[in-house]
Amino acid sequence: MIPRRKVLQGLLGISLAGLLAAVWGLWAEPVWRLRVKTWRLQPAGWPRGQKLRIVMLADLHAAFPQMGLARVADIVSRANALQGDIIVLMGDYRASHRFQSGVVPIETVAPLLAGLVAPLGVWAVQGNHDWWDDRAAQSRRAGPTLTEAAMQAAGLPVLENRAVRIAAGAGAFWLAGLGSQMAFLRGYGGGGVDDLPATLAQVTDDAPVILLAHEPDIFAAAPPVALQLSGHTHGGQIRLFGWAPVVPSAYGNRFAYGHVAEGGRDLVVSGGLGCSVLPVRFGSPPEITVVELS
């Protein structure tokens, strides 16, 4: 028979472990940690020797107390210090979970993001939450969303099914921004605003293409591009030994996080910065993602 004292000690240990895990997941990891994760790639469709340093910011989900304006400003400062050739913003700029002590309007977030600086510019796409948070855009099933308007007003170009040619000469490439594949809530008919064929039809020469797609799932069916960059999954937001029990993707952990190479094609999924559904991160710390091509 196990002594009563040992039972109580065991229960106390389990309770303390649960408390520490809760504190870590609710506050320590999502608020105190911010890592820089670098991926160095030589994609098949990228010219050898053509160097490009990309800094990605995905899934801010700004809201008090975890992602207030001071936290956003610090992320902007950290991103600038990484000296990327180009900075890409991957969507979902505001939080929509219930556990907020205060709302952070996109009209206050966008001017902070406008402080980002890179020689080849700062370019943005929208995520599903940027559409879901705008009931007027949901009702008319068309943009521009409040997020797009605020970003454009702050001087940040939003690529919504649009491709732009970056740089000139031998080092040129295309940046193609795809609309959200999950733009509309079920109550508004569901579906997305993404139009990949129309986006890629704007590419008029043989320069390599970098596709910005908030949700990674398009990678499974997309025609070859030099590289696809995505966010949306938060790395699962909770990761246990490199595996996420819940991933907001039809492909589960296949596109949950990091560098995915399939069939001579390359995808990098950022772990993101903020929280969705629940204000918890565990084993998936907030990150600024850097991709170095050569």
Side-chain angles (χ1 to χ4, degrees):
M1 184 175 180
I2 301 174
R4 182 169 179 269
R5 181 180 176 184
K6 292 291 186 182
V7 172
L8 292 175
Q9 287 176 338
L11 291 174
L12 178 60
I14 292 171
S15 299
L16 287 175
L19 178 62
L20 289 173
V23 170
W24 182 265
L26 286 166
W27 195 254
E29 185 154 314
V31 177
W32 293 343
R33 295 192 69 187
L34 178 60
R35 72 177 180 182
V36 176
K37 177 61 180 179
T38 301
W39 302 93
R40 295 179 175 88
L41 310 179
Q42 289 187 331
W46 187 259
R48 290 292 174 267
Q50 183 172 323
K51 296 184 182 299
L52 183 70
R53 183 175 172 85
I54 307 166
V55 174
M56 294 173 62
L57 300 182
D59 304 287
L60 271 173
H61 289 290
F64 292 107
Q66 292 177 324
M67 188 64 74
L69 295 177
R71 172 78 161 166
V72 175
D74 179 60
I75 289 168
V76 167
S77 178
R78 292 278 299 272
N80 282 336
L82 293 170
Q83 298 182 322
D85 298 310
I86 191 169
I87 297 176
V88 294
L89 308 177
M90 299 304 301
D92 281 4
Y93 304 100
R94 289 181 51 239
S96 55
H97 59 73
R98 305 175 185 180
F99 306 95
Q100 303 179 36
S101 63
V103 173
V104 178
I106 186 60
E107 292 81 6
T108 63
V109 174
L112 291 177
L113 295 177
L116 292 163
V117 180
L120 299 181
V122 181
W123 305 85
V125 293
Q126 295 188 90
N128 55 303
H129 285 277
D130 303 312
W131 281 88
W132 292 0
D133 290 345
D134 188 339
R135 295 310 167 98
Q138 292 283 303
S139 295
R140 65 177 182 265
R141 290 185 65 85
T145 65
L146 293 173
T147 292
E148 183 176 358
M151 299 285 273
Q152 299 278 22
L156 294 166
V158 178
L159 301 179
E160 186 83 349
N161 296 321
R162 186 160 69 93
V164 294
R165 196 172 189 273
I166 306 292
F173 63 94
W174 289 87
L175 197 64
L178 191 66
S180 172
Q181 301 153 60
M182 300 172 57
F184 300 114
L185 293 159
R186 291 183 182 178
Y188 294 89
V193 292
D194 56 303
D195 191 339
L196 185 59
T199 303
L200 295 182
Q202 299 167 45
V203 175
T204 57
D205 60 27
D206 293 332
V209 177
I210 297 174
L211 176 65
L212 309 181
H214 174 73
E215 299 93 352
D217 285 15
I218 196 72
F219 183 71
V225 295
L227 175 66
Q228 178 180 320
L229 302 177
S230 294
H232 181 63
T233 64
H234 305 191
Q237 206 164 288
I238 296 173
R239 290 178 69 81
L240 306 171
F241 307 105
W243 175 82
V246 178
V247 180
S249 165
Y251 299 93
N253 275 269
R254 178 179 169 187
F255 301 148
Y257 176 72
H259 177 216
V260 179
E262 293 183 0
R265 300 178 303 133
D266 291 89
L267 162 70
V268 173
V269 182
S270 172
L273 292 155
C275 297
S276 180
V277 183
L278 293 173
V280 175
R281 275 185 176 264
F282 194 94
S284 182
E287 72 172 45
I288 298 172
T289 310
V290 177
V291 180
E292 295 182 348
L293 302 181
S294 62

